[in-house]
Amino acid sequence: MIKVGIIGYGYWGPNLVRNFNALDNCKVICVADARAERLSLVAKNYPTIECVTDANDLLNHSQVDAVIIATPVFTHFDLAKKALQNGKHVLLEKPMASTVAEASELIEIAAKKNLLLMVDHTFLYTGAVQKMKSLIDSDAIGTLRYIDSTRINLGLLQPDINVLWDLAPHDLAILLYLNNLKPYSINATGISHTKNGIENIAYLTVNYQENFIAHFNCSWTSPVKLRTFLVGGSDKMLVYNDLEPAEKLRIYDSGFEVKNHDDRLKLMVEYRAGDIHIPQVSLHEALKEMANDFITSILEQKVPRSTSSLGLEVVRILEISQQSLKQGGKEILL
């Protein structure tokens, strides 16, 4: 039985408490939040859980085996470092840290103390992403050619991070999970419509040397909410729509073949528009699967699906995208 403490009971905290508390091999024993009104909700719904307003009380709690941190990203490093130094396993919400240096230091501390450090990239635990992974790994869609992601909605504008840091980690984690290719360069453009200079619309391109490209469209100021993830292969194409209640993934037996490469003015292209297949994918709650992976990885000393090294690479891309944004979209080599 792993005894868990959760820091942060805001937007995501209630979901974490509910899912971890439902596991047979885990028990949430303490929740920390500086806001008394948030802790009153914990006390109402979970009378046996201890509530504290000071995160240090939780970090120093002698009975807590693992700490889950669901606070703003700028607080992640200090809280996670203290937890690890106190001998506690750590689960961080995405993105795992504000800089590559911070993420790397946390990984180093966890390794030295033989503790699990994991990042909550929840989408890696969805049935749709797992199905895409199996299709790509089995070469069912051919050679990867592109990934095109759209994650837009109206709000919530963040006061401390731009839209890429807020929304892109979801799809960057999927990108890194689906393929083993190493990015070559990053370029990003965006704009801020607020006086704080934080971009609310941004476009990120991840370039590869293997004739593969990934593009991400993120916005807090769209009149509609879209959550689409396109994967183009040489044989077939995938469309993952997270807003679909049931038919989240579609496989398109579509593509093209260039018949003549010699003369660009006489380019002959043959297009193929075949059947559309809707595979059955698991509709289980991804957060529950993630929670179980974290606890099981501690108990069995195994490597989780959402590793800290993957979390580090997400932060690396975000950090470089920030540099590109501030330089007007300049391509920056990794």
Short mmCIF file of all heavy atoms in Angstrom, two decimals, residues 123-153:
data_model
loop_
_atom_site.label_atom_id
_atom_site.label_comp_id
_atom_site.label_asym_id
_atom_site.label_seq_id
_atom_site.Cartn_x
_atom_site.Cartn_y
_atom_site.Cartn_z
N PHE A 123 -2.48 11.69 -21.88
CA PHE A 123 -2.94 11.22 -23.17
C PHE A 123 -2.22 9.95 -23.63
O PHE A 123 -2.72 9.22 -24.49
CB PHE A 123 -2.81 12.32 -24.23
CG PHE A 123 -3.94 13.31 -24.18
CD1 PHE A 123 -3.85 14.44 -23.39
CD2 PHE A 123 -5.11 13.10 -24.90
CE1 PHE A 123 -4.89 15.35 -23.32
CE2 PHE A 123 -6.15 14.00 -24.84
CZ PHE A 123 -6.06 15.13 -24.05
N LEU A 124 -1.05 9.67 -23.08
CA LEU A 124 -0.34 8.44 -23.44
C LEU A 124 -1.10 7.21 -22.97
O LEU A 124 -0.81 6.09 -23.42
CB LEU A 124 1.07 8.44 -22.83
CG LEU A 124 1.99 9.61 -23.18
CD1 LEU A 124 3.40 9.32 -22.69
CD2 LEU A 124 1.98 9.90 -24.66
N TYR A 125 -2.06 7.41 -22.08
CA TYR A 125 -2.81 6.29 -21.50
C TYR A 125 -4.20 6.14 -22.13
O TYR A 125 -4.98 5.30 -21.67
CB TYR A 125 -2.91 6.47 -19.99
CG TYR A 125 -1.56 6.41 -19.32
CD1 TYR A 125 -0.78 7.56 -19.20
CD2 TYR A 125 -1.04 5.22 -18.84
CE1 TYR A 125 0.48 7.52 -18.61
CE2 TYR A 125 0.21 5.17 -18.25
CZ TYR A 125 0.97 6.33 -18.14
OH TYR A 125 2.22 6.28 -17.57
N THR A 126 -4.50 6.91 -23.14
CA THR A 126 -5.79 6.78 -23.82
C THR A 126 -5.76 5.60 -24.78
O THR A 126 -4.72 5.23 -25.33
CB THR A 126 -6.15 8.06 -24.61
OG1 THR A 126 -5.15 8.27 -25.62
CG2 THR A 126 -6.21 9.27 -23.70
N GLY A 127 -6.93 5.02 -24.99
CA GLY A 127 -7.03 3.90 -25.93
C GLY A 127 -6.66 4.30 -27.34
O GLY A 127 -6.06 3.52 -28.08
N ALA A 128 -6.99 5.54 -27.74
CA ALA A 128 -6.71 5.99 -29.10
C ALA A 128 -5.21 6.11 -29.35
O ALA A 128 -4.70 5.68 -30.39
CB ALA A 128 -7.39 7.34 -29.35
N VAL A 129 -4.47 6.69 -28.39
CA VAL A 129 -3.03 6.83 -28.56
C VAL A 129 -2.35 5.46 -28.53
O VAL A 129 -1.42 5.19 -29.30
CB VAL A 129 -2.43 7.75 -27.48
CG1 VAL A 129 -0.92 7.73 -27.52
CG2 VAL A 129 -2.94 9.18 -27.69
N GLN A 130 -2.84 4.56 -27.69
CA GLN A 130 -2.28 3.21 -27.66
C GLN A 130 -2.51 2.49 -28.98
O GLN A 130 -1.64 1.76 -29.47
CB GLN A 130 -2.90 2.42 -26.50
CG GLN A 130 -2.37 2.80 -25.15
CD GLN A 130 -0.86 2.61 -25.04
OE1 GLN A 130 -0.35 1.51 -25.19
NE2 GLN A 130 -0.14 3.70 -24.82
N LYS A 131 -3.67 2.70 -29.59
CA LYS A 131 -3.97 2.08 -30.88
C LYS A 131 -3.08 2.67 -31.97
O LYS A 131 -2.55 1.93 -32.82
CB LYS A 131 -5.44 2.29 -31.23
CG LYS A 131 -5.88 1.58 -32.51
CD LYS A 131 -5.78 0.08 -32.37
CE LYS A 131 -6.30 -0.64 -33.60
NZ LYS A 131 -6.20 -2.12 -33.47
N MET A 132 -2.89 3.98 -31.95
CA MET A 132 -2.00 4.60 -32.93
C MET A 132 -0.58 4.06 -32.79
O MET A 132 0.10 3.80 -33.79
CB MET A 132 -2.00 6.13 -32.77
CG MET A 132 -3.27 6.81 -33.23
SD MET A 132 -3.09 8.60 -33.43
CE MET A 132 -2.85 9.12 -31.73
N LYS A 133 -0.13 3.91 -31.56
CA LYS A 133 1.20 3.38 -31.30
C LYS A 133 1.36 1.98 -31.89
O LYS A 133 2.37 1.68 -32.55
CB LYS A 133 1.45 3.35 -29.79
CG LYS A 133 2.76 2.72 -29.35
CD LYS A 133 3.95 3.58 -29.70
CE LYS A 133 5.21 3.03 -29.04
NZ LYS A 133 6.43 3.74 -29.49
N SER A 134 0.37 1.12 -31.71
CA SER A 134 0.45 -0.25 -32.23
C SER A 134 0.42 -0.26 -33.75
O SER A 134 1.11 -1.06 -34.38
CB SER A 134 -0.69 -1.10 -31.66
OG SER A 134 -1.95 -0.67 -32.14
N LEU A 135 -0.37 0.63 -34.35
CA LEU A 135 -0.44 0.70 -35.82
C LEU A 135 0.89 1.17 -36.40
O LEU A 135 1.37 0.64 -37.41
CB LEU A 135 -1.56 1.65 -36.24
CG LEU A 135 -3.00 1.16 -36.00
CD1 LEU A 135 -3.99 2.30 -36.20
CD2 LEU A 135 -3.33 0.00 -36.93
N ILE A 136 1.51 2.16 -35.77
CA ILE A 136 2.79 2.68 -36.26
C ILE A 136 3.90 1.65 -36.06
O ILE A 136 4.70 1.39 -36.96
CB ILE A 136 3.13 4.00 -35.55
CG1 ILE A 136 2.15 5.09 -35.99
CG2 ILE A 136 4.57 4.43 -35.87
CD1 ILE A 136 2.26 6.37 -35.19
N ASP A 137 3.94 1.03 -34.88
CA ASP A 137 4.99 0.06 -34.59
C ASP A 137 4.90 -1.18 -35.47
O ASP A 137 5.93 -1.81 -35.76
CB ASP A 137 4.93 -0.37 -33.11
CG ASP A 137 5.40 0.74 -32.17
OD1 ASP A 137 5.94 1.75 -32.66
OD2 ASP A 137 5.21 0.60 -30.94
N SER A 138 3.68 -1.53 -35.89
CA SER A 138 3.51 -2.70 -36.75
C SER A 138 3.63 -2.36 -38.23
O SER A 138 3.40 -3.23 -39.08
CB SER A 138 2.15 -3.35 -36.48
OG SER A 138 1.08 -2.47 -36.83
N ASP A 139 3.96 -1.12 -38.54
CA ASP A 139 4.13 -0.65 -39.92
C ASP A 139 2.83 -0.71 -40.72
O ASP A 139 2.85 -0.82 -41.95
CB ASP A 139 5.22 -1.47 -40.63
CG ASP A 139 5.85 -0.72 -41.80
OD1 ASP A 139 5.93 0.52 -41.73
OD2 ASP A 139 6.23 -1.36 -42.79
N ALA A 140 1.69 -0.62 -40.01
CA ALA A 140 0.40 -0.72 -40.68
C ALA A 140 0.08 0.50 -41.53
O ALA A 140 -0.74 0.42 -42.46
CB ALA A 140 -0.71 -0.94 -39.66
N ILE A 141 0.70 1.66 -41.22
CA ILE A 141 0.41 2.86 -42.01
C ILE A 141 1.61 3.26 -42.88
O ILE A 141 1.58 4.30 -43.53
CB ILE A 141 -0.02 4.03 -41.12
CG1 ILE A 141 1.14 4.54 -40.24
CG2 ILE A 141 -1.22 3.65 -40.26
CD1 ILE A 141 0.83 5.84 -39.54
N GLY A 142 2.65 2.45 -42.87
CA GLY A 142 3.83 2.75 -43.68
C GLY A 142 4.79 3.69 -42.97
O GLY A 142 4.76 3.83 -41.74
N THR A 143 5.62 4.35 -43.74
CA THR A 143 6.62 5.27 -43.20
C THR A 143 5.96 6.56 -42.75
O THR A 143 5.14 7.14 -43.48
CB THR A 143 7.69 5.59 -44.26
OG1 THR A 143 8.26 4.37 -44.72
CG2 THR A 143 8.76 6.49 -43.70
N LEU A 144 6.29 7.03 -41.54
CA LEU A 144 5.74 8.29 -41.04
C LEU A 144 6.20 9.45 -41.91
O LEU A 144 7.39 9.59 -42.21
CB LEU A 144 6.18 8.53 -39.60
CG LEU A 144 5.42 7.78 -38.50
CD1 LEU A 144 6.00 8.13 -37.14
CD2 LEU A 144 3.94 8.11 -38.53
N ARG A 145 5.25 10.30 -42.28
CA ARG A 145 5.57 11.48 -43.09
C ARG A 145 5.30 12.79 -42.36
O ARG A 145 6.04 13.74 -42.50
CB ARG A 145 4.76 11.44 -44.40
CG ARG A 145 5.27 10.43 -45.41
CD ARG A 145 4.42 10.39 -46.65
NE ARG A 145 5.06 9.66 -47.74
CZ ARG A 145 4.43 9.29 -48.84
NH1 ARG A 145 3.13 9.56 -48.99
NH2 ARG A 145 5.10 8.64 -49.79
N TYR A 146 4.22 12.84 -41.58
CA TYR A 146 3.92 14.09 -40.87
C TYR A 146 2.98 13.82 -39.71
O TYR A 146 2.28 12.81 -39.65
CB TYR A 146 3.29 15.12 -41.81
CG TYR A 146 1.88 14.79 -42.24
CD1 TYR A 146 0.78 15.15 -41.46
CD2 TYR A 146 1.64 14.11 -43.44
CE1 TYR A 146 -0.51 14.83 -41.85
CE2 TYR A 146 0.35 13.79 -43.84
CZ TYR A 146 -0.71 14.15 -43.04
OH TYR A 146 -2.00 13.82 -43.43
N ILE A 147 2.99 14.76 -38.78
CA ILE A 147 1.99 14.85 -37.71
C ILE A 147 1.52 16.28 -37.66
O ILE A 147 2.32 17.21 -37.70
CB ILE A 147 2.57 14.41 -36.35
CG1 ILE A 147 2.63 12.87 -36.26
CG2 ILE A 147 1.76 14.98 -35.19
CD1 ILE A 147 3.26 12.33 -35.00
N ASP A 148 0.22 16.46 -37.62
CA ASP A 148 -0.37 17.80 -37.61
C ASP A 148 -1.40 17.86 -36.49
O ASP A 148 -2.41 17.16 -36.54
CB ASP A 148 -1.02 18.11 -38.96
CG ASP A 148 -1.26 19.60 -39.16
OD1 ASP A 148 -1.60 20.28 -38.17
OD2 ASP A 148 -1.09 20.09 -40.29
N SER A 149 -1.15 18.70 -35.49
CA SER A 149 -2.00 18.76 -34.31
C SER A 149 -2.67 20.12 -34.19
O SER A 149 -2.05 21.16 -34.40
CB SER A 149 -1.16 18.47 -33.05
OG SER A 149 -1.87 18.83 -31.89
N THR A 150 -3.94 20.10 -33.80
CA THR A 150 -4.69 21.33 -33.52
C THR A 150 -5.32 21.21 -32.14
O THR A 150 -6.11 20.29 -31.88
CB THR A 150 -5.80 21.57 -34.57
OG1 THR A 150 -5.21 21.67 -35.86
CG2 THR A 150 -6.57 22.84 -34.25
N ARG A 151 -4.95 22.11 -31.26
CA ARG A 151 -5.51 22.12 -29.89
C ARG A 151 -5.87 23.57 -29.58
O ARG A 151 -5.05 24.36 -29.13
CB ARG A 151 -4.50 21.56 -28.89
CG ARG A 151 -5.06 21.35 -27.49
CD ARG A 151 -4.08 20.61 -26.60
NE ARG A 151 -3.92 19.23 -27.03
CZ ARG A 151 -4.66 18.20 -26.59
NH1 ARG A 151 -5.61 18.42 -25.69
NH2 ARG A 151 -4.45 16.99 -27.04
N ILE A 152 -7.11 23.93 -29.86
CA ILE A 152 -7.56 25.32 -29.73
C ILE A 152 -8.89 25.38 -28.98
O ILE A 152 -9.68 24.46 -29.01
CB ILE A 152 -7.70 26.00 -31.11
CG1 ILE A 152 -8.73 25.27 -31.97
CG2 ILE A 152 -6.35 26.05 -31.83
CD1 ILE A 152 -9.00 25.93 -33.33
N ASN A 153 -9.11 26.51 -28.30
CA ASN A 153 -10.36 26.74 -27.58
C ASN A 153 -10.39 28.20 -27.12
O ASN A 153 -9.44 28.96 -27.34
CB ASN A 153 -10.49 25.80 -26.37
CG ASN A 153 -9.27 25.81 -25.48
OD1 ASN A 153 -8.42 24.91 -25.59
ND2 ASN A 153 -9.13 26.81 -24.62
#
